[in-house]
Amino acid sequence: MVSDARDAVLGIETSCDETAASVVRGGQSVMSSVISSQLDLHARFGGVVPEIASRAHLDLLLPVVSEALSGAQVEGPSLAAVAVTTGPGLAGALLVGVSAAKALALAWGVPYVAVNHLEGHLYAASLEEEKLEYPIVTLLVSGGHTMLVLVQSPGNYRLMGETVDDAAGEAFDKVARALGLGYPGGPAIDAMAKKGDPSAIPFPRPMMGAGLSFSFSGLKTAVTRWVREHPDAEVADVAASFQQAVVDVLVSKAATAARQVGAMGICLGGGVAANAQLREAIVEACAKEGMAALLPSKAMCTDNAAMIAAAGWHRLRSDGPSPLDTPAEPDLSLVAHTA
Ligand code: KG4
Ligand code: ZN
């Protein structure tokens, strides 16, 4: 059976190493969400190899799109729009998704909508919780970004603070490499930290108490230097102490931001949001502040196309379709938006 899809948006996401497509109805109801991870292709290189990512997207995207459409029982020409991540991300990887989305929108005669990947992350929580109370503060922590965003209502947001150097996930990955824990580093440190003492080593809490900006480059250097100088140290203690330092800073700044704007809750997004200790600490901080802790599932925190389809649906309503010459923009930043 093919259902009426006039309110359904096909989202496409190829900004990094996940090839994803999803159909979301009314910006809210996920009809299908298909994610093909390239993790295995990149793991032996210790990080994402851009050229390999682009080629894998080329191979995987159309099958992934077909699966998303058939899973949702919709046909392309009946969609409300095709939405795609145009940035930020890897140039070649973005181009695969953007070119495919434009071609499909043209062939099906439906609108094309350009979506900022970071804006997509802001919609992840609303796809799992129907009744979100706004305003909320979203702590977006991934391999490429660390930011605090005030979301007043869907589509109305502004940046409150971000990292001045490395992203939190980048620090996890680099520290994991220094500890010989492999790639991706976040889950490895998360697991190892459970066996260690988080107060064993007093690593610095960078920029703690100094506004809403973050810095993780110095912490990463402090940990790698400590490891070099203490070759016999317990790896679990180093992992736990490093993770505690990162979590302390993230949670303290998120709580400060939420207090400043009278937020109803703090929401987590991005790959680092899968971190068990971060999730626990956010729940604790929110309980203390009398706010809701909004913790989307791991699949919704990490890169997916449902969040892109949801953002595309809202953008279509607020700004209309995007011109077909809207380019891929690897360095696209998150600018305040009012729907
Ligand atoms: O959002 P994401 O899947 O991709 C982008 O960076 O856009 O985030 C990946 C990052 C990596 O740096 C990875 O090490 C980190 O998220 N990560 C974690 C955990 N799972 C993934 N960091 C800490 N604890 C985890 N459990
Ligand atoms: Zn992301």
Side-chain angles (χ1 to χ4, degrees), residues 13 15-16 117-118 121 140 142-145 270-271 301-304 307:
E13 157 64 36
S15 65
C16 192
H117 178 84
L118 301 171
H121 274 298
L140 187 52
S142 70
H145 303 277
C301 284
T302 50
D303 290 349
N304 65 84
M307 67 185 197

Side-chain angles (χ1 to χ4, degrees), residues 45-141:
F45 298 104
V48 177
V49 183
E51 181 61 20
I52 292 177
S54 317
R55 284 187 205 190
H57 286 311
L58 266 179
D59 290 343
L60 295 165
L61 185 55
L62 289 182
V64 164
V65 166
S66 298
E67 199 182 325
L69 290 176
S70 60
Q73 298 193 314
V74 297
E75 286 180 344
S78 63
L79 289 165
V82 177
V84 65
T85 300
T86 54
L90 301 169
L94 287 168
L95 270 175
V96 176
V98 169
S99 313
K102 287 177 179 175
L104 293 173
L106 260 179
W108 292 333
V110 301
Y112 161 80
V113 185
V115 171
N116 182 317
H117 178 84
L118 301 171
E119 181 173 306
H121 274 298
L122 301 180
Y123 284 99
S126 68
L127 289 171
E128 289 186 336
E129 286 203 40
E130 240 169 78
K131 290 196 176 64
L132 277 187
E133 280 192 82
Y134 293 92
I136 58 179
V137 165
T138 297
L139 172 64
L140 187 52
V141 265

Side-chain angles (χ1 to χ4, degrees), residues 142-144 169 172-173 184-187 190 270-272 274-275 302-303:
S142 70
F172 269 97
D173 292 335
D190 194 347
V272 183
N275 185 270
T302 50
D303 290 349

